[in-house]
Amino acid sequence: MIEMIVDSVRVNLISPSRVVVLKERDGPRYLAIVIGQGEADAIAVKLQDHEVPRPLTHDLLKQLIESVQGSVERVVVTDLVDTTFFATIVLDMNGSRCELDSRPSDAIALAVRANAPILVEPSVLNEAGFEPDVSGEESGDGEPVAEEKLEVFREFINQLDLDDLEKS
């Protein structure tokens, strides 16, 4: 498993989607996952330490887990099928391990609240991860990157709101 940190939450102004960008903790790769507006807001609110007057859904979920003597051990982005990511929330429930199927957006929103590690299966990061390259279109080993792999990222990057960079 590869540990990731939340790099940013981005807004796509062309379509109504949001993107959470994860960065490899000890490496150069990133993983971009399209998420819903509510989950994007939930992640951003916590990352910015913004106080909300009432608990959000993920705050409530964390409170519920803790009220039954549980804790969030970690969340894992486990799979990528077509363009859909899958995740698991791993809980310690009073000494017993419990795994819950989850959308990555919900798992990440919970992880940032619980200060739990965010992990990604190596196969997922190998398939969908990317390394930004400011000098040209080469992979980390100096080899050219296949054009079809780059096109997805070009489309994604061309739709980002770059004015939002300074806010994250």
Side-chain angles (χ1 to χ4, degrees), residues 20-67:
V20 62
V21 180
L22 303 177
K23 183 190 181 306
E24 192 174 12
R25 180 176 291 282
D26 297 320
R29 294 181 291 179
Y30 290 79
L31 183 66
I33 302 174
V34 175
I35 62 175
Q37 181 176 346
E39 294 80 9
D41 292 345
I43 294 167
V45 159
K46 184 61 181 170
L47 291 177
Q48 296 173 0
D49 289 325
H50 183 75
E51 294 294 323
V52 292
R54 303 285 298 150
L56 300 175
T57 303
H58 301 95
D59 298 314
L60 211 57
L61 181 56
K62 179 181 175 267
Q63 290 175 10
L64 176 63
I65 292 166
E66 290 173 347
S67 74

Side-chain angles (χ1 to χ4, degrees), residues 13 22 27 43 60-61 67 69-70 77 89 91 93 95 109 112 120 133-134 153 156 163:
L13 294 178
L22 303 177
I43 294 167
L60 211 57
L61 181 56
S67 74
Q69 285 70 52
V77 178
I89 300 169
L91 303 174
M93 299 301 291
V112 297
V120 174
D133 183 26
V134 294
F153 298 108
F156 168 74
D163 294 331

Side-chain angles (χ1 to χ4, degrees), residues 17-168:
S17 63
R18 307 292 190 266
V19 177
V20 62
V21 180
L22 303 177
K23 183 190 181 306
E24 192 174 12
R25 180 176 291 282
D26 297 320
R29 294 181 291 179
Y30 290 79
L31 183 66
I33 302 174
V34 175
I35 62 175
Q37 181 176 346
E39 294 80 9
D41 292 345
I43 294 167
V45 159
K46 184 61 181 170
L47 291 177
Q48 296 173 0
D49 289 325
H50 183 75
E51 294 294 323
V52 292
R54 303 285 298 150
L56 300 175
T57 303
H58 301 95
D59 298 314
L60 211 57
L61 181 56
K62 179 181 175 267
Q63 290 175 10
L64 176 63
I65 292 166
E66 290 173 347
S67 74
V68 294
Q69 285 70 52
S71 62
V72 180
E73 195 175 288
R74 65 183 175 271
V75 301
V76 183
V77 178
T78 57
D79 203 2
L80 173 61
V81 178
D82 297 322
T83 59
T84 304
F85 288 91
F86 293 83
T88 300
I89 300 169
V90 180
L91 303 174
D92 178 340
M93 299 301 291
N94 202 18
S96 294
R97 185 175 170 183
C98 177
E99 293 187 10
L100 302 172
D101 182 35
S102 175
R103 298 182 303 178
S105 56
D106 291 321
I108 293 166
L110 182 59
V112 297
R113 283 163 172 71
N115 294 316
I118 301 167
L119 306 174
V120 174
E121 286 287 347
S123 61
V124 173
L125 194 56
N126 290 339
E127 182 177 345
F130 63 96
E131 288 184 42
D133 183 26
V134 294
S135 64
E137 295 173 351
E138 292 182 347
S139 65
D141 58 6
E143 294 294 317
V145 177
E147 186 65 28
E148 61 271 6
K149 283 186 122 180
L150 293 174
E151 188 57 36
V152 174
F153 298 108
R154 278 194 192 99
E155 290 174 18
F156 168 74
I157 289 169
N158 287 335
Q159 295 176 3
L160 291 177
D161 176 13
L162 298 179
D163 294 331
D164 233 15
L165 282 174
E166 294 175 343
K167 298 177 186 175
S168 9

